[in-house]
């Protein structure tokens, strides 16, 4: 599995994206509905950040912010590390280990095309 190219792992993946203006509450409901732990946040079709369960916990709830009114643009992880689909999955695993995160957006020319998770 570590040698498989990322493009083979995301081939049939449903991409879930949201806008920076989406609220945390709306995004959390979408994440629950899609059974995912992270969404890609886009502006003008290009990846601008990601929002994860951890962001919701640490940057929203622990800070006393209101999920109904807090926008993703306020609490998302901006400019996350990304990977291209021609790289092996092992490279993504190494990135996640070294960076201390669990999700890596897959992009082509800044456009999100998938997500890999540890």
């Amino acid at each position: 599995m570590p040698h498989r190219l990322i493009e083979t792992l995301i081939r049939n993946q449903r991409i879930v994206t949201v806008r920076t203006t989406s609220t945390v509450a709306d995004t959390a409901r979408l994440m629950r509905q899609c059974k995912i732990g992270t969404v890609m946040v886009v502006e003008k079709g290009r990846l601008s950040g990601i929002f994860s369960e951890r962001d919701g916990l640490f940057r929203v709830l622990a800070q006393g912010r209101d999920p109904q009114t807090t926008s993703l643009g306020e609490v998302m992880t901006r400019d996350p590390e990304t990977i291209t689909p021609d790289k092996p999955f092992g490279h993504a695993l190494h990135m996640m280990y070294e960076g201390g995160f669990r999700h890596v957006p897959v992009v082509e020319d800044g456009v999100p095309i998938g997500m890999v998770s540890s």
Side-chain angles (χ1 to χ4, degrees), residues 36-99:
I36 56 175
T38 300
V39 293
M40 294 180 279
V41 185
V42 296
E43 291 180 33
K44 299 178 184 172
R46 299 181 70 78
L47 183 71
S48 61
I50 61 172
F51 180 78
S52 68
E53 297 162 324
R54 188 177 287 180
D55 293 329
L57 181 63
F58 295 155
R59 296 180 181 172
V60 181
L61 296 178
Q63 298 295 318
R65 292 176 178 251
D66 182 356
Q68 300 294 334
T69 59
T70 302
S71 72
L72 293 186
E74 298 173 63
V75 293
M76 69 181 184
T77 300
R78 291 193 174 275
D79 303 314
E81 289 190 46
T82 63
I83 196 164
T84 55
D86 61 333
K87 299 285 191 229
F89 181 59
H91 183 73
L93 289 173
H94 180 73
M95 287 175 62
M96 289 183 264
Y97 174 76
E98 290 291 318

Side-chain angles (χ1 to χ4, degrees), residues 6 9-10 83 89 92 96 102-104 106 114-118:
I6 289 173
L9 299 175
I10 65 166
I83 196 164
F89 181 59
M96 289 183 264
R102 297 176 295 170
H103 302 89
V104 179
V106 182
M115 179 79 74
V116 291
S117 303
S118 58

